[in-house]
């Protein structure tokens, strides 16, 4: 198959880019994700996850069952920020506030 | 094209409604999703991809692939396969990253 | 047979990779970097990646951060485009009572040359129109900015590899013994390495790593949860305390700090709280789609200041662990290379020595 | 402020979720069923073929009419339907977070049954992102749920029971299926079935590319080494299904892998409880199977949830449970059932627990 064939529809990452990441030592879907942005788009790897796992399995000659899936993130579907803000008074125990700007920066 | 006589199922739509897409008026059946209403009117390309601006449209029809985003009444990136069409809806193609505007809900 | 190196670095996050790259510039030493995972799978890959100076206290620490921020443009010329942007940083406040504190901060930071303006509401809103009109003022500094952490770590590694640094990923270190003045390092995979010098750059995992040589490092793990919007058209120009817009348009938002060990899960409690904070700051974000939340385990030394330099009582062993590793990586890499290659540093690191905790 | 509590929370209102809800609610449990779709039924809504392999208590019928059947059964039971609600995550206290697009709120439960079903795998080739290229399931949704013609001239990629069935349905509405593209070996019986209805199946074939300006206009196939061009306005990807895992992952359920169950799936015991206590799996999410298997696993999960809620007598539970597993053994494809039992055995082994004698018995049987 042509190496320029798209694998990740959202971020438009092709076979070639994934194979290069594998050549650079990537062994899991999430390694490739961090190097290429594959699976980081709006569908959050729902379509490309198994496509990429298959490429890894073939390239590294490892059984498909041993290639970990991508780590799924909340929210499981794209959600408007406004929808998330409602009903927040329910379960928040420790109010998380930011005193100094650098605290979430590493 | 709308199917008027389905070979197996009864027609479960009983009302026609109108909506606009890119300023043009079209007819849909009440109860259809936006993606289906657009498809029925021959509109398959719903927008373009971010990086290479390639055409995109309905792919999974189950709210998973996010290829079918459109703008609905000014709100960008609405999943057209999971949203029902409504009378008078103003729909636009998804040709750029969403812009957040104030005063919407 | 064990392979011999001059220097082995444990940890390939932004700090370990930066040290490796800066050491490799002289191409004098044989260097190996070992990481238990793959680059960016830990803290360096789960950060908002601000290059943040203006509210760092005490002022001497602010100064170190400023020096580091000033190195970024030079670094980019050497290793490539890491999407560093000196956007200026805005830290808004919502009540007049905070203005006093802001003026004090500006005064203190001025002693070391960190430029800070305390802005009125109009000034804030004209600089950053997307901010909420409920904001009454802000501190602002032109020195703050942000960077793409994925590009940064990747390019540090790439540049280091070019200079013949070796990397071994998915390699956990199981033991470190010192024999005849050399460190003997064994890994889970059965690898054996010896090193004349060893650098610990294990971030939040430093406690466990340092225990391999019976050293105590007083750090805690703090989880931060971050929300990411889908890419939006230009909305935010500055790095704002709590959020920034990346080059590709995604807005990163995060305020939370939780001490939950190494648990990297996210929770809707924090996600919803963070969403509310985001809208309090930038109301129009209400319409943005959130595509994902992730968390990172930050390392915070007990007194919140970096721990850098020689490890007391273990000759040829060094440590580099700190919060704000993204901000500090250029200067830390530079100073650690000086220390290992020349035995001395151009900035005195005494106040950051591990020995300060002995007292 | 919305505050919702229930005995049994079910995610997904497809056949597995509906059967679980029916079982649970008719034995005295409070049930909430959450689904992001507009109506209940999941993928059953657009199935117009007559379903084989239904368990005895169901009349043989078409998929969409089975949904109506369920609706009649369920409407008088204590079940709350939260349609157009999506599970998006969990709270620190393990409540499930659900959004309707306007607000997000927690649902607390005693037992959770996840019946999120399966997703269609993609097949990639140059041009697969063009409008007009869609999964075969998407084409079926347009056709039978939306009553919209997905195209006039079509190619179907992948030859299996489902792709042939949808091919026939498309043809019956006037779509011309130019060919079904079969990779290599295929079922001879299926091939004859296609032949009988006049659908061309090309074997040893792959797609080289799909091209078009704004939508798909042309495909080039490689059939046994020979290139063949077709002008089409619809390309259907008829690949296999795999279990939908997102919900299990954020609930920290461990995953396992069985090729015959569709790849990765959540590990489970013979109670269909996952490695996260109180979280059960049912339907295609527990391994890809037929409609009979989907319905029965829904019921098995519900019986186990009911029993652990002490809503059933032991003997009642034990007898029914056994009967259901025996029914499953008869109704499922044998390699699917084998893989399922092997998977359960693995789960017990991984957790260092003794295999229940009953499962051992089933193992011997298959």
């Amino acid at each position: 198959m042509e190496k320029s064939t798209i694998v990740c529809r959202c971020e438009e990452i092709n076979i070639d880019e994934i194979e290069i990441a594998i050549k650079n030592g990537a062994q899991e879907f999430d390694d490739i994700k961090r190097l290429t942005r594959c699976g980081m788009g709006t569908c959050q790897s729902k379509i490309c996850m198994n496509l990429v796992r298959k490429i890894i399995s073939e390239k590294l000659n490892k059984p498909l069952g041993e290639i970990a899936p991508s780590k799924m993130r909340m929210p499981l579907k794209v959600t408007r920020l406004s929808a998330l803000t409602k009903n927040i008074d329910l379960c928040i125990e420790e109010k998380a506030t930011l005193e100094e700007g650098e605290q979430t920066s590493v | 094209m709308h199917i008027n006589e389905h070979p197996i199922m009864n027609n479960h739509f009983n009302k026609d409604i109108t909506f606009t897409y890119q300023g043009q008026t079209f007819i849909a059946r009440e109860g259809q999703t936006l993606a289906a209403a657009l498809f029925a009117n021959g509109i398959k390309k719903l927008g373009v991809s971010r990086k290479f601006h390639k055409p995109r449209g309905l792919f999974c029809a189950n709210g998973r692939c996010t290829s079918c985003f459109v703008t609905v009444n000014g709100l960008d990136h609405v999943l057209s396969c999971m949203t029902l069409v409504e009378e008078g809806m103003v729909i636009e193609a998804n040709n750029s990253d969403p812009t957040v505007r104030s005063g919407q809900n | 047979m064990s392979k011999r190196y001059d220097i082995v670095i444990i940890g390939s996050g932004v700090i370990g990779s930066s040290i490796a790259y800066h050491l490799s510039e002289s191409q004098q030493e044989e260097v190996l970097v070992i990481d238990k995972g793959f680059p960016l799978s830990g803290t360096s890959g789960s950060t908002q990646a601000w290059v943040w100076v203006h509210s760092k206290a005490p002022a001497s620490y602010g100064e170190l951060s400023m020096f580091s921020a000033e190195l970024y443009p030079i670094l980019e010329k050497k290793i490539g485009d890491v999407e560093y942007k000196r956007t200026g940083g805005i830290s808004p406040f919502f009540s007049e009572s905070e203005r006093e504190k802001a003026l004090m901060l500006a005064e203190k930071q001025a002693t070391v040359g960190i430029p800070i303006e305390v802005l009125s509401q109009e000034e804030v809103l004209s600089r950053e129109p997307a901010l909420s009109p409920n904001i009454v003022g802000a501190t602002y500094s032109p020195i703050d900015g942000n960077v793409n952490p994925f590009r940064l770590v990747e390019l540090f590694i790439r540049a280091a590899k070019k200079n013949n640094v070796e990397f071994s990923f998915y390699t956990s270190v199981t033991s470190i013994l010192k024999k005849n003045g050399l460190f003997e390092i064994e890994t889970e995979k059965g690898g054996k390495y010896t090193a004349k010098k060893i650098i610990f750059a294990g971030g939040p995992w430093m406690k466990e790593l340092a225990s391999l040589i019976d050293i105590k490092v007083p750090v805690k793990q703090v989880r931060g949860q971050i929300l990411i919007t889908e890419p939006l058209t230009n909305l935010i120009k500055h790095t704002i305390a709590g959020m920034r817009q990346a080059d590709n348009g995604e807005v990163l938002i995060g305020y939370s700090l939780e001490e939950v060990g190494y648990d990297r899960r996210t929770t809707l409690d924090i996600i919803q709280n963070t969403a509310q904070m985001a809208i309090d700051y930038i109301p129009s974000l209400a319409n943005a789609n959130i595509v994902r939340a992730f968390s990172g385990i930050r390392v915070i030394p007990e007194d919140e200041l970096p721990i850098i330099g020689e490890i007391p009582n273990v000759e040829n062993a060094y440590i580099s662990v700190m919060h704000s590793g993204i901000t500090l990586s250029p200067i830390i890499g530079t100073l650690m290379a000086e220390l290992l290659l020349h035995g001395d540093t151009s900035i005195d690191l005494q106040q950051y020595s591990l020995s300060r905790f002995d007292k | 402020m919305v505050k919702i509590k229930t005995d049994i929370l079910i995610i997904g209102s497809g056949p597995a979720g509906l059967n679980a809800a029916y079982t649970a609610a008719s034995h005295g449990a409070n049930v909430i069923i959450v689904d992001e779709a507009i109506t209940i039924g999941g993928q059953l809504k657009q199935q117009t073929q007559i379903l084989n392999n239904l368990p005895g208590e169901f009349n043989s019928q078409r998929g969409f009419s089975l949904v109506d059947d369920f609706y009649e059964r369920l409407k008088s039971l204590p079940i709350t339907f939260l349609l157009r609600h999506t599970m998006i995550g969990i709270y620190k206290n393990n409540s499930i977070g659900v959004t309707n697009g306007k607000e997000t709120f927690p649902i607390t439960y005693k037992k959770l049954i996840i019946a999120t079903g399966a997703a269609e795998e993609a097949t990639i080739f140059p041009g697969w992102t063009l409008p007009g290229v869609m999964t075969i399931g998407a084409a079926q949704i347009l056709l039978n749920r939306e009553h919209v013609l997905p195209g006039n001239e079509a190619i179907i990629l992948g030859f299996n029971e489902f792709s042939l069935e949808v091919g026939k349905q498309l043809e019956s509405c006037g779509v011309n299926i130019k060919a079904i593209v079969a990779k290599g070996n295929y079922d001879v019986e299926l091939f004859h079935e296609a032949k009988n209805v006049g659908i061309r199946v090309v074997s040893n074939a792959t797609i080289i590319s799909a091209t078009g300006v704004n939508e798909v206009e042309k495909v080039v196939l490689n059939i046994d080494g020979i290139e063949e061009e077709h002008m089409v306005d619809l390309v259907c990807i008829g690949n296999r299904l795999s279990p939908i895992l997102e919900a299990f992952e954020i609930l920290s359920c461990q995953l396992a892998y069985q090729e015959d169950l569709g790849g990765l799936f959540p590990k489970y015991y013979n109670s269909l409880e996952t490695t996260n206590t109180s979280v059960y799996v049912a339907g295609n999410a527990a391994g890809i199977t037929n409609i009979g298997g989907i319905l029965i696993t829904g019921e098995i999960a519900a019986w186990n949830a009911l029993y652990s809620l002490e809503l059933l007598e032991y003997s009642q539970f034990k007898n029914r449970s056994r009967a259901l597993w025996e029914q499953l053994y008869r109704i499922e494809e044998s390699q699917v059932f084998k893989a399922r039992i092997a998977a359960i055995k693995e789960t017990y082994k991984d957790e260092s627990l003794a295999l229940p004698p009953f499962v051992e018995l089933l193992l011997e049987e298959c």
Side-chain angles (χ1 to χ4, degrees):
Chain A
M1 181 142 14
E2 279 176 39
K3 298 284 184 203
S4 61
T5 306
I6 295 291
V7 179
C8 166
R9 295 170 70 89
C10 305
E11 294 290 322
E12 297 178 278
I13 306 300
N14 64 31
I15 297 177
D16 198 33
E17 290 165 277
I18 289 163
E19 290 184 353
I20 288 170
I22 296 170
K23 229 177 256 165
N24 285 332
Q27 298 185 10
E28 306 285 6
F29 183 97
D30 284 345
D31 299 342
I32 291 170
K33 178 167 86 180
R34 294 183 190 105
L35 288 179
T36 66
R37 286 195 61 82
C38 177
M40 267 196 189
T42 46
C43 97
Q44 286 292 294
S45 82
K46 291 190 185 78
I47 304 299
C48 67
M49 196 248 285
N50 283 336
L51 297 169
V52 173
R53 286 180 57 241
K54 211 172 137 213
I55 297 173
I56 299 172
S57 151
E58 282 163 10
K59 285 280 147 188
L60 297 181
N61 211 3
K62 266 166 81 174
L64 198 52
E66 286 175 22
I67 317 290
S70 59
K71 193 171 183 327
M72 277 300 161
R73 311 287 194 183
M74 297 181 211
L76 295 180
K77 289 281 162 76
V78 290
T79 308
R80 301 273 166 204
L81 213 57
S82 58
L84 287 171
T85 59
K86 307 285 166 57
N87 273 300
I88 52 161
D89 47 337
L90 282 173
C91 336
I92 320 275
E93 281 147 30
E94 73 250 44
K95 182 93 172 156
T97 48
L98 188 78
E99 296 255 301
E100 295 206 5
E102 82 268 25
Q103 291 188 323
T104 43
S105 150
V106 169
Chain B
M1 209 177 17
H2 291 287
I3 298 169
N4 291 321
E5 272 180 48
H6 195 282
I8 291 168
M9 301 170 102
N10 293 327
N11 181 13
H12 47 252
F13 301 108
N14 41 33
K15 195 177 156 200
D16 280 0
I17 55 174
T18 59
F19 67 95
T20 69
Y21 178 73
Q22 304 294 77
Q24 226 183 312
T25 303
F26 296 98
I27 293 173
R29 309 267 194 264
E30 191 177 50
Q32 279 177 332
T33 58
L34 294 177
L38 289 160
F39 217 99
N41 287 285
I43 300 151
K44 295 183 189 175
K45 177 187 167 185
L46 303 178
V48 295
S49 62
R50 293 196 67 232
K51 198 155 87 182
F52 300 130
H53 306 281
K54 298 286 187 197
R56 286 287 189 272
L58 183 74
F59 180 72
C60 79
N62 265 310
R64 292 177 64 78
C65 76
T66 67
S67 289
C68 67
F69 278 142
V70 292
T71 298
V72 177
N73 298 336
L75 187 62
D76 288 331
H77 277 200
V78 174
L79 280 174
S80 65
C81 72
M82 299 298 284
T83 310
L84 291 185
V85 65
E86 287 169 22
E87 176 64 44
M89 253 183 186
V90 178
I91 303 170
E92 285 152 287
N94 170 42
N95 288 330
S96 64
D97 283 345
T99 301
V100 290
R101 309 167 181 94
S102 36
Q104 291 171 335
N105 45 41
Chain C
M1 260 307 285
S2 63
K3 221 179 151 194
R4 297 181 68 128
Y5 293 90
D6 295 317
I7 300 167
V8 167
I9 301 170
I10 304 177
S12 186
V14 70
I15 292 296
S17 303
S18 173
I19 296 171
Y21 163 68
H22 284 93
L23 279 171
S24 77
E25 281 187 299
S26 67
Q27 303 215 28
Q28 291 174 7
E29 315 278 316
E30 282 187 59
V31 181
L32 170 72
V33 184
I34 302 176
D35 197 289
K36 69 177 174 57
F38 196 68
L40 297 163
S41 60
T43 306
S44 302
S46 47
T47 160
Q48 289 205 40
W50 306 347
V51 177
W52 191 261
V53 175
H54 96 245
S55 56
K56 297 274 170 79
S60 56
Y61 177 43
E63 188 183 30
L64 185 71
S65 304
M66 179 172 67
F67 290 154
S68 197
E70 283 168 348
L71 286 176
Y72 260 103
I74 302 158
L75 180 71
E76 273 201 308
K77 286 200 184 111
K78 296 195 286 187
I79 67 170
D81 180 9
V82 295
E83 295 176 21
Y84 170 68
K85 284 172 300 179
R86 195 169 289 172
T87 58
I90 292 180
S91 188
F93 47 85
F94 288 83
S95 78
E96 272 307 329
S97 61
E98 283 171 84
R99 192 175 299 277
E100 195 63 31
K101 248 166 70 187
L103 288 165
M104 265 164 60
L105 175 74
E107 200 177 301
K108 269 191 197 147
Q109 302 298 62
T111 61
V112 291
I114 300 172
I116 293 185
E117 283 176 57
V118 180
L119 304 179
S120 69
Q121 188 197 47
E122 293 87 82
E123 286 168 329
V124 187
L125 295 181
S126 82
R127 271 190 190 280
E128 193 63 85
L131 281 168
S132 164
N134 293 330
I135 284 167
V136 300
T139 51
Y140 165 77
S141 174
I143 185 70
D144 299 322
N146 58 65
V147 67
N148 180 336
F150 298 97
R151 299 288 299 156
L152 179 63
V153 175
E154 193 195 346
L155 290 186
F156 269 140
I157 292 172
R158 203 185 284 179
K161 276 185 177 168
K162 219 178 192 176
N163 294 339
N164 301 315
V165 173
E166 289 175 40
F167 286 81
S168 180
F169 302 134
Y170 287 112
T171 306
S172 277
V173 173
T174 48
S175 76
I176 302 169
L177 288 173
K178 202 164 181 196
K179 267 191 201 158
N180 309 323
L182 290 177
F183 293 97
E184 295 187 354
I185 300 158
E186 289 192 2
T187 70
E188 205 175 39
K189 284 194 218 160
K192 284 186 181 169
Y193 309 99
T194 57
K196 291 181 196 154
K197 294 178 181 178
I198 190 164
I199 303 173
F200 291 87
W205 295 272
M206 191 59 102
K207 245 184 197 164
E208 288 77 358
L209 257 185
S211 73
L212 293 175
I213 54 162
D214 291 323
I215 294 293
K216 282 198 168 62
V217 181
V219 292
K220 53 187 179 181
Q221 294 87 29
V222 176
R223 179 169 77 185
Q225 299 190 30
I226 293 172
L227 300 190
I228 297 204
T229 70
E230 60 182 328
L232 306 172
T233 52
N234 289 346
L235 178 71
I236 308 172
K237 291 195 286 271
H238 297 81
T239 305
I240 297 171
M243 63 172 79
R244 70 161 176 118
Q245 186 165 24
D247 256 18
N248 73 342
E250 290 174 339
V251 177
L252 292 80
I253 309 155
Y255 302 88
S256 68
L257 297 169
E258 305 162 274
E259 282 191 50
V260 288
Y262 294 113
D263 182 351
R264 278 186 71 175
R265 284 177 295 183
T266 55
T267 61
L268 271 176
D269 315 59
I270 296 292
I271 290 172
Q272 290 194 249
N273 202 22
T274 305
Q276 184 63 57
M277 296 276 277
I279 292 179
D280 288 346
Y281 276 50
I282 304 210
S284 55
L285 274 176
N287 294 316
N289 276 321
I290 293 294
V291 290
R292 68 179 174 280
F294 63 88
S295 80
I297 306 300
R298 290 83 179 76
V299 56
I300 302 188
E302 244 166 39
D303 61 1
E304 300 184 12
L305 292 174
I307 304 170
I308 321 164
E310 287 155 349
I311 294 178
N313 308 322
V314 187
E315 208 186 342
N316 291 327
Y318 301 81
I319 186 168
S320 258
V321 61
M322 69 214 68
H323 187 240
S324 301
I326 298 281
T327 300
L328 292 171
S329 65
I331 192 91
I332 297 299
T334 307
L335 295 173
M336 287 296 287
E338 289 175 0
L339 185 61
L340 270 91
L341 298 174
H342 312 300
D344 201 6
T345 54
S346 50
I347 294 172
D348 183 18
L349 293 177
Q350 192 49 44
Q351 66 162 314
Y352 302 118
S353 164
L354 179 60
S355 63
R356 71 181 185 266
F357 296 103
D358 295 342
K359 291 157 203 165
Chain D
M1 188 168 84
V2 192
K3 200 163 203 171
I4 302 183
K5 268 187 182 165
T6 186
D7 292 335
I8 298 182
L9 172 62
I10 299 173
I11 309 296
S13 75
L18 291 177
N19 210 25
Y22 174 69
T23 308
S26 42
H27 289 89
N30 273 314
V31 175
I32 292 179
I33 186 159
V34 169
D35 199 301
E36 61 184 333
I38 293 147
T39 55
I40 61 165
Q43 304 310 312
L44 209 49
K45 294 189 289 268
Q46 62 270 6
Q47 304 308 322
T48 53
Q49 66 276 28
I50 292 170
L51 301 173
N52 301 312
N53 302 317
L54 286 177
E57 60 268 34
F58 295 93
N59 297 323
S60 177
Q61 57 192 311
R62 297 180 197 273
F64 64 89
S65 97
L66 182 57
V67 179
D68 297 338
D69 216 46
F70 264 117
Y71 182 78
E72 287 305 314
R73 283 166 183 245
L74 297 175
K75 67 181 180 191
S76 55
L77 293 171
I79 299 173
T80 306
F81 288 94
L82 289 179
L83 296 173
R84 294 202 218 194
H85 281 71
T86 308
M87 170 182 170
I88 56 164
I90 58 169
Y91 292 87
K92 214 160 48 186
N93 67 3
N94 284 326
S95 300
I96 295 295
V98 159
T99 188
N100 57 7
K102 301 254 184 293
E103 57 182 3
T104 301
F105 55 87
I107 302 177
T108 52
Y109 56 86
K110 290 179 187 154
K111 302 288 163 187
L112 175 64
I113 299 176
I114 300 182
T116 43
E120 298 177 88
E121 302 259 290
T123 302
I124 61 170
F125 49 88
W128 74 289
T129 55
L130 277 170
V133 179
M134 64 182 77
T135 66
I136 190 120
Q140 196 196 26
I141 285 173
L142 283 178
L143 193 74
N144 296 335
R145 201 185 74 195
E146 307 281 350
H147 291 195
V148 169
L149 210 58
N152 293 304
E153 304 287 333
I155 287 279
I156 294 175
L157 304 174
F159 184 47
N160 49 56
E161 217 174 299
F162 185 65
S163 72
L164 176 59
E165 175 57 40
V166 178
K168 289 196 281 187
Q169 293 172 13
L170 287 164
E171 283 241 317
S172 75
C173 287
V175 182
N176 177 28
I177 307 294
K178 294 197 151 178
I180 300 184
V181 179
K183 232 185 186 169
N185 298 333
Y186 50 80
D187 191 329
V188 181
E189 228 170 275
L190 208 58
F191 183 75
H192 283 295
E193 197 185 324
K195 208 172 162 191
N196 285 341
V197 293
I199 293 180
R200 178 185 178 220
V201 179
V202 292
S203 57
N204 246 336
T206 52
I207 181 163
I208 295 173
S209 66
T211 48
V213 181
N214 286 320
E215 52 197 61
V216 63
E217 292 164 19
K218 189 176 86 177
V219 296
V220 181
L221 305 177
N222 174 337
I223 305 168
D224 234 340
I226 297 160
E227 284 192 13
E228 202 177 282
E229 273 186 27
H230 289 280
M231 302 308 285
V232 295
D233 59 358
L234 174 63
V235 177
C236 298
I237 298 175
N239 207 337
R240 66 170 200 172
L241 300 174
S242 61
I244 291 177
L245 302 172
E246 292 101 76
F248 302 103
E249 280 192 65
I250 61 161
L251 282 156
S252 308
C253 300
Q254 291 172 36
L255 302 180
Y257 182 90
Q258 288 280 341
E259 188 60 32
D260 285 332
L261 292 179
L264 293 165
F265 63 95
K267 267 190 195 176
Y268 53 83
Y269 299 92
N270 56 318
S271 56
L272 297 190
E273 193 170 14
T274 65
T275 55
N276 185 342
T277 314
S278 298
V279 178
Y280 297 79
V281 56
N284 269 344
I288 307 305
T289 180
N290 55 20
I291 180 70
I294 290 170
L295 290 164
I296 294 167
T297 51
E299 192 175 339
I300 293 174
W303 276 88
N304 282 281
L306 283 165
Y307 180 63
S308 64
L309 287 175
E310 296 178 355
L311 289 166
L312 296 173
E313 296 291 329
Y314 177 66
S315 61
Q316 186 190 14
F317 163 68
K318 195 179 139 194
N319 292 339
R320 183 63 187 157
S321 220
R322 243 161 211 259
L324 285 166
W325 274 101
E326 275 155 16
Q327 208 180 1
L328 190 62
Y329 170 60
R330 286 194 302 273
I331 226 165
E332 269 189 333
E333 302 262 346
S334 68
Q335 87 265 22
V336 173
F337 189 79
K338 263 187 211 164
R340 199 187 285 287
I341 298 298
I344 290 170
K345 195 182 162 193
E346 280 294 305
T347 311
Y348 279 96
K349 205 178 111 197
D350 293 350
E351 304 296 315
S352 307
L353 293 168
L355 201 62
F358 176 61
V359 182
E360 224 150 344
L361 211 71
L362 286 170
L363 250 172
E364 276 165 33
E365 266 185 70
C366 65

